[in-house]
Amino acid sequence: MSERYTDTAQEWPVTGTATPFTGNKTGVRTDQVVMPDGSAVSRDYQTHPGSVAILALDDTGRVVVVKQYRHPVRHKLWEIPAGLLDVPGENPLLAAQRELYEEAHVKAEDWRVLTDVYTSPGGSDEAVRIFLARELSAVEGERFEVAEEEADMELARVPLPGLVRGVLAGDLHNTCLAVGVLALHAALSTDGLDQLRPADAAWPARPYPA
């Protein structure tokens, strides 16, 4: 059996902290962090409530994707459905089911954890849980009223191999899409989807009530 590599929780001493900016959902924090040599340095980072993303795979092997304008990078990006954990301690599975309904207007019967990631750990504490959703079906009723960037959002279903090629070619850049499709491709190529964690697996980065 190959050696298993695991990230380790650790917290270096903080001698002072400030919050120079607090936005609607995120903010900026400045910590004075004590280094191993005893010196203290200033570290700025974005504070973030956390997110969920959903790689929804239909019975023909196509992935549900949306195309949305992202102002900071001045691009319309192909992405998988995703959203913020708006309520502290919110169950991530329930949040993912809500986001899949709102963005793609579908529901899924089979849910598993595909992977957990920190999107940019050098500059943000954002943690994302990416779910795999299968056994898709349309949701009855009208889709919720969209606004702002979502009003211009496109919806498509794309075969998984095409998305893998797009990521490797540098044509697709969204973090959750790239991580999700490559993780799914790896799972299908190795131990199979039955080895993925259950949808209610513990998530130390964003603990939630059982």
Side-chain angles (χ1 to χ4, degrees), residues 121-133:
S124 173
D125 67 356
E126 181 183 11
V128 179
R129 168 156 283 187
I130 303 177
F131 289 92
L132 173 65

Side-chain angles (χ1 to χ4, degrees), residues 4 10 26 40 67 75 77-78 87-88 96-97 107 111 118 155-157 160 167 172 178 180 204:
R4 180 174 177 176
Q10 189 174 105
T26 67
K67 195 172 190 181
H75 272 72
L77 301 178
W78 283 110
V87 180
Q97 291 170 336
K107 61 182 179 180
W111 290 82
Y118 293 116
L155 180 66
R157 295 193 182 195
L160 177 64
V167 171
L172 300 172

Side-chain angles (χ1 to χ4, degrees), residues 2-203:
S2 61
E3 184 176 355
R4 180 174 177 176
Y5 294 88
T6 305
D7 294 335
T8 305
Q10 189 174 105
E11 187 167 351
W12 291 0
V14 175
T15 60
T17 188
T19 307
F21 170 77
T22 300
N24 185 32
K25 298 294 184 182
T26 67
V28 174
R29 180 176 296 160
T30 301
D31 288 342
Q32 301 299 319
V33 185
V34 179
M35 299 288 106
D37 64 1
S39 63
V41 299
S42 178
R43 290 289 179 263
D44 303 320
Y45 58 98
Q46 179 195 33
T47 57
H48 194 286
S51 307
V52 291
I54 308 95
L55 196 152
L57 185 70
D58 70 16
D59 57 6
T60 66
R62 298 177 302 168
V63 176
V64 176
V65 291
V66 297
K67 195 172 190 181
Q68 186 172 348
Y69 177 66
R70 295 301 187 182
H71 184 71
V73 295
R74 307 310 198 265
H75 272 72
K76 288 188 74 173
L77 301 178
W78 283 110
E79 307 177 352
I80 56 177
L84 297 175
L85 292 169
D86 294 314
V87 180
E90 183 177 17
N91 185 305
L93 175 58
L94 296 181
Q97 291 170 336
R98 180 190 68 234
E99 294 298 332
L100 184 61
Y101 163 74
E102 290 184 352
E103 294 196 359
H105 205 54
V106 298
K107 61 182 179 180
E109 298 301 322
D110 184 272
W111 290 82
R112 297 174 188 268
V113 175
L114 188 54
T115 189
D116 299 323
V117 295
Y118 293 116
T119 56
S120 182
S124 173
D125 67 356
E126 181 183 11
V128 179
R129 168 156 283 187
I130 303 177
F131 289 92
L132 173 65
R134 294 183 293 169
E135 299 179 22
L136 308 183
S137 61
V139 178
E140 296 181 359
E142 295 294 326
R143 189 175 177 219
F144 83 113
E145 185 176 351
V146 295
E148 300 175 349
E149 288 92 343
E150 291 183 342
D152 190 47
M153 190 162 56
E154 301 174 46
L155 180 66
R157 295 193 182 195
V158 181
L160 177 64
L163 294 175
V164 172
R165 287 193 295 269
V167 171
L168 297 180
D171 297 328
L172 300 172
H173 305 89
N174 176 262
T175 300
C176 292
L177 182 145
V179 172
V181 301
L182 295 179
L184 178 58
H185 177 71
L188 290 169
S189 303
T190 54
D191 297 330
L193 302 185
D194 289 341
Q195 302 303 312
L196 294 174
R197 288 172 290 160
D200 60 355
W203 190 16

